[in-house]
């Protein structure tokens, strides 16, 4: 039997996860802020332009060096990168119309899509309990989106596209993990949107100010830090302990949205978010109990 990790390792794992999700909330907030003056392609381009060299440097500084970026299956990396590109493009675009916390809550539908897609794509068995949890989560999505009502906004569909694309990113990570290195997977999911953003950039170029260039750089650095801290968290503590703290992103997004844009989710959004989070936590719990990848 694997011995349990020491208490201090678990504590540091939890702190690493909390720090990680705070960073991704800031990255999303920067995307919303910059989206008021720049095209999505430019935001994605500069964000990944600063991220990719940092990823290469981090890989080079670890044991095994630059060889960790070697890809055993380049086509799988391309698929993962395209899915990641779809996720970031659609999410940043949605933030131009939606409150940060509301968009974040809807994006948490990704694990629900993972449950649904793992059956046809990975041939995994999903029991009735996880299907029930997924259905509860999708009810939460409907509560927030409220299709056919005045509160519905088309940008909400973009967030659901984000969740679907991110589900593909997670599923490919699950399938690729036994053969691929962590840094190669982080590299591909950043270099593909960099290339696509570069192709689109000449058609949507706005000259950045010095301050905004600093914000682009911060988004890139914080994005890589998020991946590194999250990986560290799962290394220090069991997935069942760490995974629930991912939902602290919603709290950070709510705080930032309130402080910067005076946005505060209403009771309906909180109700839908509670259903989505509860279903996601239960799915993570069942994944852990069944021996799957959280």
């Amino acid at each position: 039997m694997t011995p349990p990790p020491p208490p201090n390792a678990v504590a540091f794992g939890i702190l690493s996860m909390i720090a990680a999700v705070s960073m991704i909330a800031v990255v999303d907030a920067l995307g919303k802020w910059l989206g008021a003056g720049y095209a999505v392609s430019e935001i994605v381009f500069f964000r990944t332009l600063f991220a990719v060299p940092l990823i290469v440097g981090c890989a080079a500084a670890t044991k095994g060096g630059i060889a960790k970026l070697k890809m055993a299956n380049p086509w799988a990396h391309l698929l993962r990168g395209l899915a990641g590109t779809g996720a970031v493009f659609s999410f940043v675009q949605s933030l131009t119309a939606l409150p940060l916390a509301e968009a974040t809550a809807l994006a948490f539908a990704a694990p629900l899509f993972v449950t649904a897609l793992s059956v046809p794509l990975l041939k995994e068995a999903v029991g009735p309990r996880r299907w029930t949890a997924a259905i509860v989560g999708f009810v939460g999505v409907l509560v927030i989106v409220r299709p056919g009502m005045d509160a519905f906004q088309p940008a909400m569909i973009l967030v659901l596209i984000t969740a679907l694309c991110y589900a593909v990113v997670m599923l490919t990570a699950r399938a690729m993990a036994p053969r691929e290195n962590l840094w190669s997977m982080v590299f591909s999911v950043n270099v593909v949107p960099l290339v696509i953003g570069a192709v689109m950039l000449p058609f949507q170029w706005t000259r950045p100010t010095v301050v905004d260039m600093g914000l682009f750089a911060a988004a890139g650095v914080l994005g890589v830090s998020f991946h590194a801290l999250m990986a560290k968290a799962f290394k220090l503590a069991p997935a069942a302990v760490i995974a629930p703290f991912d939902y602290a992103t919603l709290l950070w997004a709510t705080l930032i949205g309130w402080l910067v844009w005076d946005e505060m989710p209403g009771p309906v959004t909180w109700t839908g978010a509670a259903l989505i989070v509860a279903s996601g936590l239960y799915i993570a719990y069942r994944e852990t109990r069944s021996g799957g990848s959280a």
Side-chain angles (χ1 to χ4, degrees), residues 60-120:
T62 57
K63 185 178 180 181
I66 203 73
K68 286 192 171 184
L69 299 180
K70 184 178 179 181
M71 302 176 186
N73 188 341
W75 290 109
H77 279 277
L78 177 61
L79 173 62
R80 177 178 167 81
L82 290 173
T85 301
V88 69
F89 267 79
S90 55
F91 192 67
V92 174
Q93 184 64 55
S94 74
L95 290 175
T96 62
L98 294 177
L100 183 61
E102 188 170 313
T104 301
L106 283 173
F108 277 125
L112 314 180
F113 284 112
V114 169
T115 297
L117 294 175
S118 63
V119 177

Coordinates of all heavy atoms in Angstrom, one line a residue, residues 60-120:
A60 N 13.7 23.1 -19.4 CA 15.2 23.0 -19.5 C 15.8 23.0 -18.1 O 16.9 22.4 -17.9 CB 15.8 24.2 -20.3
A61 N 15.2 23.6 -17.1 CA 15.7 23.7 -15.8 C 15.5 22.5 -14.9 O 16.1 22.3 -13.8 CB 15.2 24.9 -15.1
T62 N 14.6 21.6 -15.4 CA 14.3 20.4 -14.6 C 15.1 19.2 -15.1 O 15.8 19.3 -16.1 CB 12.8 20.0 -14.7 OG1 12.5 19.9 -16.1 CG2 11.9 21.2 -14.2
K63 N 15.1 18.1 -14.3 CA 15.8 16.9 -14.7 C 15.3 16.4 -16.0 O 14.1 16.2 -16.2 CB 15.6 15.9 -13.6 CG 16.5 14.6 -13.8 CD 16.3 13.7 -12.6 CE 17.2 12.4 -12.9 NZ 17.0 11.4 -11.7
G64 N 16.2 16.1 -16.9 CA 15.9 15.7 -18.2 C 16.0 16.8 -19.3 O 16.1 16.5 -20.5
G65 N 15.9 18.0 -18.8 CA 16.1 19.2 -19.7 C 15.1 19.3 -20.8 O 13.9 18.9 -20.7
I66 N 15.6 19.9 -21.9 CA 14.7 20.2 -23.0 C 14.1 19.0 -23.7 O 13.1 19.1 -24.4 CB 15.6 21.0 -24.1 CG1 14.6 21.8 -25.0 CG2 16.4 20.1 -24.9 CD1 14.1 23.1 -24.3
A67 N 14.7 17.8 -23.4 CA 14.1 16.6 -23.9 C 12.7 16.3 -23.5 O 12.0 15.6 -24.1 CB 15.0 15.4 -23.6
K68 N 12.3 17.0 -22.4 CA 11.0 16.8 -21.8 C 9.9 17.4 -22.8 O 8.7 17.1 -22.6 CB 10.8 17.5 -20.5 CG 11.5 16.7 -19.4 CD 11.1 17.2 -18.0 CE 11.7 16.3 -16.9 NZ 11.2 16.7 -15.6
L69 N 10.3 18.2 -23.7 CA 9.4 18.8 -24.7 C 9.1 17.8 -25.9 O 8.3 18.1 -26.8 CB 9.9 20.1 -25.2 CG 10.0 21.2 -24.1 CD1 10.5 22.5 -24.8 CD2 8.7 21.5 -23.4
K70 N 9.9 16.7 -25.9 CA 9.7 15.8 -27.0 C 8.3 15.2 -27.0 O 7.8 14.8 -26.0 CB 10.8 14.7 -27.0 CG 10.7 13.7 -28.1 CD 11.8 12.7 -28.0 CE 11.8 11.7 -29.2 NZ 12.8 10.7 -29.1
M71 N 7.7 15.1 -28.2 CA 6.3 14.6 -28.3 C 6.3 13.2 -28.9 O 6.7 13.0 -30.0 CB 5.4 15.6 -29.1 CG 5.4 17.0 -28.6 SD 4.5 18.1 -29.7 CE 4.8 19.7 -28.9
A72 N 5.7 12.3 -28.1 CA 5.6 10.9 -28.6 C 4.6 10.8 -29.7 O 4.7 10.0 -30.6 CB 5.3 9.9 -27.5
N73 N 3.5 11.6 -29.6 CA 2.4 11.6 -30.6 C 2.1 13.0 -31.0 O 1.2 13.6 -30.3 CB 1.2 10.9 -30.0 CG 0.1 10.6 -31.0 OD1 0.1 11.3 -32.1 ND2 -0.8 9.7 -30.8
P74 N 2.7 13.6 -32.0 CA 2.5 15.0 -32.3 C 1.1 15.3 -32.7 O 0.6 16.4 -32.5 CB 3.5 15.2 -33.5 CG 4.5 14.1 -33.4 CD 3.8 13.0 -32.8
W75 N 0.4 14.3 -33.4 CA -1.0 14.5 -33.8 C -1.9 14.7 -32.6 O -2.9 15.5 -32.6 CB -1.5 13.4 -34.7 CG -0.8 13.4 -36.0 CD1 0.1 12.5 -36.5 CD2 -0.9 14.3 -37.1 NE1 0.6 12.8 -37.7 CE2 -0.1 14.0 -38.1 CE3 -1.7 15.5 -37.3 CZ2 0.0 14.7 -39.3 CZ3 -1.6 16.2 -38.4 CH2 -0.8 15.8 -39.5
A76 N -1.7 13.9 -31.6 CA -2.5 14.1 -30.3 C -2.2 15.4 -29.7 O -3.1 16.1 -29.2 CB -2.2 13.0 -29.3
H77 N -1.0 15.9 -29.8 CA -0.6 17.2 -29.2 C -1.3 18.3 -30.1 O -1.8 19.3 -29.5 CB 0.9 17.4 -29.2 CG 1.6 16.8 -28.1 ND1 1.7 17.4 -26.9 CD2 2.2 15.6 -28.0 CE1 2.3 16.6 -26.0 NE2 2.7 15.5 -26.7
L78 N -1.4 18.1 -31.4 CA -2.1 19.1 -32.2 C -3.5 19.2 -31.9 O -4.1 20.3 -31.8 CB -1.9 18.7 -33.7 CG -2.6 19.6 -34.7 CD1 -2.1 21.0 -34.6 CD2 -2.4 19.1 -36.1
L79 N -4.2 18.0 -31.7 CA -5.6 18.0 -31.3 C -5.8 18.7 -30.0 O -6.7 19.6 -29.8 CB -6.1 16.6 -31.2 CG -7.5 16.4 -30.6 CD1 -8.5 17.1 -31.5 CD2 -7.8 14.9 -30.5
R80 N -4.9 18.4 -29.0 CA -5.0 19.1 -27.7 C -4.8 20.6 -27.8 O -5.5 21.4 -27.2 CB -3.9 18.5 -26.8 CG -3.8 19.1 -25.4 CD -2.7 18.3 -24.6 NE -2.4 19.0 -23.4 CZ -3.1 19.0 -22.3 NH1 -4.2 18.3 -22.2 NH2 -2.6 19.7 -21.2
G81 N -3.8 21.0 -28.7 CA -3.6 22.4 -28.9 C -4.7 23.1 -29.5 O -5.1 24.2 -29.2
L82 N -5.4 22.5 -30.5 CA -6.5 23.1 -31.2 C -7.7 23.2 -30.2 O -8.4 24.2 -30.2 CB -6.9 22.2 -32.4 CG -6.0 22.3 -33.6 CD1 -6.4 21.2 -34.6 CD2 -5.9 23.7 -34.2
A83 N -7.9 22.2 -29.4 CA -9.0 22.3 -28.4 C -8.7 23.4 -27.4 O -9.6 24.2 -27.0 CB -9.1 21.0 -27.6
G84 N -7.4 23.5 -26.9 CA -7.0 24.6 -26.0 C -7.2 26.0 -26.7 O -7.6 26.9 -26.0
T85 N -6.9 26.0 -28.0 CA -7.1 27.3 -28.7 C -8.6 27.7 -28.7 O -9.0 28.8 -28.5 CB -6.6 27.2 -30.1 OG1 -5.2 26.8 -30.1 CG2 -6.8 28.5 -30.9
G86 N -9.4 26.7 -29.0 CA -10.9 27.0 -29.0 C -11.4 27.4 -27.6 O -12.2 28.3 -27.5
A87 N -10.8 26.8 -26.6 CA -11.2 27.2 -25.2 C -10.8 28.6 -24.9 O -11.7 29.4 -24.4 CB -10.6 26.2 -24.2
V88 N -9.6 29.0 -25.2 CA -9.2 30.3 -24.8 C -9.8 31.4 -25.6 O -10.2 32.5 -25.1 CB -7.6 30.4 -24.8 CG1 -7.0 30.3 -26.2 CG2 -7.1 31.7 -24.1
F89 N -9.9 31.2 -26.9 CA -10.6 32.2 -27.8 C -12.0 32.4 -27.4 O -12.4 33.6 -27.3 CB -10.5 31.7 -29.3 CG -9.3 32.2 -30.0 CD1 -8.1 31.6 -29.9 CD2 -9.4 33.3 -30.9 CE1 -6.9 32.1 -30.6 CE2 -8.3 33.8 -31.6 CZ -7.1 33.2 -31.4
S90 N -12.8 31.3 -27.2 CA -14.2 31.5 -26.9 C -14.4 32.1 -25.5 O -15.3 32.9 -25.3 CB -14.9 30.1 -27.0 OG -14.3 29.2 -26.1
F91 N -13.5 31.8 -24.5 CA -13.7 32.3 -23.2 C -13.3 33.8 -23.1 O -14.1 34.6 -22.5 CB -12.8 31.5 -22.2 CG -13.2 31.8 -20.7 CD1 -14.4 31.4 -20.2 CD2 -12.3 32.5 -19.9 CE1 -14.7 31.7 -18.9 CE2 -12.6 32.8 -18.6 CZ -13.8 32.4 -18.1
V92 N -12.2 34.2 -23.7 CA -11.9 35.6 -23.7 C -12.9 36.4 -24.4 O -13.3 37.5 -24.0 CB -10.5 35.8 -24.4 CG1 -10.1 37.3 -24.5 CG2 -9.4 35.1 -23.5
Q93 N -13.5 35.9 -25.5 CA -14.5 36.6 -26.3 C -15.8 36.7 -25.4 O -16.4 37.8 -25.4 CB -14.9 35.9 -27.5 CG -15.9 36.6 -28.4 CD -15.3 37.9 -29.0 OE1 -14.3 38.0 -29.6 NE2 -16.1 39.0 -28.7
S94 N -16.1 35.7 -24.6 CA -17.3 35.7 -23.8 C -17.2 36.8 -22.7 O -18.2 37.4 -22.3 CB -17.6 34.4 -23.2 OG -16.6 34.1 -22.2
L95 N -15.9 37.0 -22.2 CA -15.7 37.9 -21.1 C -16.0 39.4 -21.5 O -16.2 40.2 -20.6 CB -14.3 37.8 -20.6 CG -14.0 36.5 -19.9 CD1 -12.5 36.5 -19.5 CD2 -14.8 36.4 -18.6
T96 N -16.1 39.7 -22.8 CA -16.4 41.0 -23.2 C -17.9 41.3 -23.0 O -18.3 42.5 -23.0 CB -16.1 41.2 -24.7 OG1 -16.9 40.3 -25.5 CG2 -14.6 41.0 -25.0
A97 N -18.7 40.3 -22.8 CA -20.1 40.5 -22.6 C -20.7 40.0 -21.3 O -21.7 40.5 -20.8 CB -20.9 39.8 -23.7
L98 N -19.9 39.1 -20.6 CA -20.4 38.5 -19.4 C -19.6 38.9 -18.1 O -18.4 39.2 -18.2 CB -20.4 37.0 -19.5 CG -21.3 36.3 -20.5 CD1 -21.0 34.8 -20.5 CD2 -22.7 36.6 -20.2
P99 N -20.3 39.0 -17.0 CA -19.5 39.2 -15.7 C -18.5 38.0 -15.5 O -18.8 36.9 -15.9 CB -20.6 39.1 -14.6 CG -21.9 39.5 -15.4 CD -21.7 38.9 -16.7
L100 N -17.4 38.3 -14.9 CA -16.3 37.4 -14.7 C -16.8 36.1 -14.0 O -16.5 35.0 -14.3 CB -15.1 38.0 -14.0 CG -13.9 37.2 -13.8 CD1 -13.3 36.8 -15.2 CD2 -12.8 38.0 -13.1
A101 N -17.5 36.3 -12.9 CA -17.9 35.2 -12.0 C -18.9 34.3 -12.8 O -18.9 33.1 -12.6 CB -18.5 35.7 -10.7
E102 N -19.8 34.9 -13.5 CA -20.8 34.1 -14.2 C -20.2 33.3 -15.3 O -20.5 32.1 -15.5 CB -21.9 35.1 -14.9 CG -23.1 34.4 -15.5 CD -24.2 35.3 -15.9 OE1 -24.5 36.2 -15.1 OE2 -24.7 35.2 -17.0
A103 N -19.2 33.9 -16.0 CA -18.5 33.1 -17.1 C -17.7 32.0 -16.4 O -17.7 30.8 -16.9 CB -17.6 34.0 -17.9
T104 N -17.1 32.2 -15.3 CA -16.3 31.2 -14.6 C -17.2 30.1 -14.1 O -16.8 28.9 -14.2 CB -15.6 31.9 -13.4 OG1 -14.7 32.9 -13.8 CG2 -14.7 30.8 -12.6
A105 N -18.4 30.4 -13.6 CA -19.3 29.4 -13.1 C -19.7 28.4 -14.3 O -19.7 27.2 -14.1 CB -20.5 30.0 -12.5
L106 N -20.0 29.0 -15.4 CA -20.4 28.2 -16.6 C -19.2 27.4 -17.1 O -19.4 26.2 -17.6 CB -20.9 29.1 -17.7 CG -22.4 29.6 -17.5 CD1 -22.7 30.6 -18.6 CD2 -23.4 28.5 -17.5
A107 N -18.0 27.9 -17.0 CA -16.9 27.2 -17.5 C -16.6 25.9 -16.7 O -16.0 24.9 -17.2 CB -15.6 28.0 -17.5
F108 N -17.1 25.9 -15.5 CA -17.0 24.7 -14.6 C -17.9 23.5 -15.1 O -17.9 22.4 -14.5 CB -17.3 25.0 -13.2 CG -16.1 25.6 -12.4 CD1 -16.2 26.8 -11.8 CD2 -14.9 24.9 -12.4 CE1 -15.2 27.3 -11.1 CE2 -13.8 25.4 -11.7 CZ -14.0 26.6 -11.1
A109 N -18.6 23.7 -16.2 CA -19.3 22.6 -16.8 C -18.4 21.6 -17.5 O -18.8 20.5 -17.9 CB -20.3 23.1 -17.8
A110 N -17.1 22.0 -17.6 CA -16.1 21.1 -18.3 C -16.1 19.7 -17.8 O -16.1 18.7 -18.6 CB -14.7 21.7 -18.3
P111 N -16.0 19.4 -16.5 CA -16.0 18.0 -16.0 C -17.3 17.3 -16.4 O -17.3 16.0 -16.5 CB -15.9 18.2 -14.5 CG -15.3 19.5 -14.3 CD -15.8 20.4 -15.4
L112 N -18.4 18.0 -16.5 CA -19.6 17.3 -17.0 C -19.5 16.8 -18.4 O -19.9 15.7 -18.7 CB -20.8 18.3 -16.9 CG -20.9 19.1 -15.6 CD1 -22.1 20.0 -15.6 CD2 -21.0 18.2 -14.4
F113 N -18.9 17.6 -19.3 CA -18.6 17.2 -20.6 C -17.6 16.0 -20.6 O -17.7 15.2 -21.5 CB -18.1 18.4 -21.5 CG -19.2 19.3 -21.9 CD1 -19.1 20.6 -21.4 CD2 -20.2 19.0 -22.8 CE1 -20.1 21.5 -21.7 CE2 -21.1 19.9 -23.1 CZ -21.1 21.2 -22.6
V114 N -16.6 16.1 -19.7 CA -15.7 15.0 -19.6 C -16.4 13.7 -19.4 O -16.1 12.6 -20.0 CB -14.6 15.2 -18.5 CG1 -13.8 14.0 -18.3 CG2 -13.7 16.4 -18.9
T115 N -17.4 13.7 -18.4 CA -18.1 12.5 -18.1 C -18.9 12.0 -19.3 O -18.9 10.8 -19.6 CB -19.1 12.8 -17.0 OG1 -18.4 13.1 -15.8 CG2 -20.0 11.6 -16.7
A116 N -19.5 12.9 -20.0 CA -20.3 12.5 -21.2 C -19.4 12.0 -22.3 O -19.8 11.0 -23.0 CB -21.2 13.7 -21.7
L117 N -18.3 12.6 -22.6 CA -17.4 12.3 -23.7 C -16.5 11.1 -23.4 O -16.0 10.5 -24.4 CB -16.6 13.5 -24.1 CG -17.4 14.7 -24.7 CD1 -16.4 15.9 -25.0 CD2 -18.1 14.3 -26.0
S118 N -16.3 10.8 -22.1 CA -15.3 9.7 -21.8 C -15.9 8.4 -22.3 O -15.1 7.4 -22.5 CB -15.1 9.7 -20.3 OG -16.2 9.4 -19.6
V119 N -17.2 8.3 -22.4 CA -17.8 7.0 -22.9 C -17.5 6.7 -24.3 O -16.9 5.7 -24.7 CB -19.3 7.0 -22.6 CG1 -19.9 5.7 -23.2 CG2 -19.6 7.1 -21.1
P120 N -17.8 7.6 -25.3 CA -17.6 7.3 -26.7 C -16.1 7.5 -27.1 O -15.6 6.8 -28.0 CB -18.4 8.4 -27.4 CG -18.6 9.5 -26.5 CD -18.6 8.9 -25.1

